Amino acid sequence: MAELRFEQDLVRALLREQHPDLADLELRDVAGGWDNQQWRLGAELAVRLPRTERAPALLRTEQKWLPILAQRLPLPTPTPVRIGEPSALFEHTWTITRWVEGEPADYAPITCADAAETLAGFLKALHQQAPADAPANPTRGIPLAGMQDGFTRSLEVIADDASADVREIWEKAVAAPAWHGAPTWLHGDLHPANVVVQDGTLSGVIDFGEMCAGDPATDLSAAWVLLPAGTASRFFGTYEVADDATIARARGWAVLRAVGMISIGRNGRLGLLGGKPTWEPAGRAALERALAVN
């Protein structure tokens, strides 16, 4: 992951080999990234190279579906504009995308309450019925009971005095009626590192590699994971089509995401492999917001 890094010389060589018209643009390293390493290319583009075993498949998902979905989405997205194919220089696919301006929300949290309407509008546009050949995902858009083991493991990292309340939210979410509608398109991975912020508000959504079809509650967890305290009801009022069962499941996804972020952040604070220190405060803030809901 972050420990595996490619050099700019490789990126420049790949550009000269496959997209020579872009090869002389300025190339700058970009911090962050999990499955992919990223560089900014000129003023408007970015280059993403996969660096985990699963990353090439995630890029293929973005390459196939995001250009179609992005046409109806009301926020900037890193839409692929060129595709890099495997070659003697690099054995996997890679992508040139639109650059999305802003600071990741794990560094610059959303503070503007109006972001509730912005995010709701984005998800309302995204959450349309998906086609039969839309990708499925084993850990997104599924019934929460299938995530029980991951929830239990992650719960070990939070304070004992909060765990009872977290378990109560989780159990209510698992017991809530399942999604019976047609599978909708999902972003699948809405957490602070996958959205960007300008002037305190949501300005773009990035990293669509986990996009899939399923229960929209997975994405609706962002009402607590991303937005300022006290704005979840405003978000759901704008989204309009979430019933009580869907909101209960979304809140369950929110506590799952929050404790997972705390765990990854703690690993980063301790210097452990794959950890991201900025995720711990973001996860704790998300958990506090989810617990505060009456």
Side-chain angles (χ1 to χ4, degrees):
M1 291 179 284
E3 289 72 22
L4 173 61
R5 295 193 61 81
F6 304 113
E7 299 300 325
Q8 277 197 20
D9 288 348
L10 171 62
V11 182
R12 189 72 72 185
L14 287 170
L15 290 169
R16 293 195 186 284
E17 177 189 59
Q18 298 190 33
H19 301 283
D21 59 314
L22 304 177
D24 292 325
L25 293 176
E26 182 183 5
L27 193 62
R28 288 168 282 171
D29 290 314
V30 176
W34 187 280
D35 291 291
N36 301 282
Q37 188 176 343
Q38 182 170 242
W39 295 260
R40 189 165 182 177
L41 179 64
E44 299 180 352
L45 301 174
V47 178
R48 301 177 75 204
L49 264 63
R51 58 181 175 185
T52 66
E53 185 176 350
R54 72 191 198 119
L58 300 180
L59 283 182
R60 289 294 190 192
T61 296
E62 285 188 337
Q63 291 164 358
K64 179 177 181 179
W65 293 108
L66 185 53
I68 299 170
L69 296 180
Q71 298 176 31
R72 68 166 185 253
L73 299 178
L75 285 171
T77 63
T79 309
V81 296
R82 303 281 184 92
I83 294 174
E85 297 295 349
S87 72
L89 287 175
F90 190 71
E91 63 179 329
H92 302 294
T93 187
W94 50 283
T95 303
I96 300 172
T97 73
R98 296 292 180 194
W99 174 258
V100 180
E101 198 69 52
E103 189 79 2
D106 55 327
Y107 288 89
I110 296 171
T111 57
C112 179
D114 290 348
E117 283 87 358
T118 303
L119 179 60
F122 175 86
L123 290 179
K124 197 169 182 179
L126 174 62
H127 289 171
Q128 305 299 315
Q129 182 173 341
D133 60 340
N137 190 304
T139 59
R140 310 294 199 278
I142 64 171
L144 277 169
M147 303 297 293
Q148 182 66 53
D149 289 346
F151 172 76
T152 301
R153 287 193 301 271
S154 295
L155 192 61
E156 296 173 359
V157 305
I158 68 171
D160 290 340
D161 58 353
S163 60
D165 292 336
V166 173
R167 284 187 183 277
E168 181 181 357
I169 291 172
W170 175 259
E171 289 167 1
K172 287 181 178 179
V174 171
W179 173 253
H180 291 300
T184 71
W185 274 115
L186 308 177
H187 176 279
D189 207 23
L190 286 175
H191 59 69
N194 284 345
V195 300
V196 294
V197 177
Q198 290 182 303
D199 300 322
T201 197
L202 179 65
S203 60
V205 179
I206 61 177
D207 201 344
F208 283 74
E210 299 279 10
M211 77 171 75
C212 60
D215 178 2
T218 301
D219 281 355
L220 297 177
S221 63
W224 299 281
V225 173
L226 296 178
L227 295 176
T231 60
S233 60
R234 186 169 170 177
F235 166 87
F236 285 109
T238 301
Y239 185 79
E240 295 183 319
V241 292
D243 59 16
D244 289 344
T246 300
I247 294 172
R249 295 193 308 276
R251 194 176 172 201
W253 278 104
V255 297
L256 175 65
R257 287 285 172 83
V259 295
M261 289 166 57
I262 292 168
S263 179
I264 292 170
R266 176 178 176 273
N267 288 344
R269 175 166 52 84
L270 297 176
L272 301 177
L273 189 67
K276 290 184 174 288
T278 57
W279 287 28
E280 186 171 18
R284 292 197 179 279
L287 187 61
E288 182 178 345
R289 292 190 292 265
L291 290 174
V293 177
N294 295 321

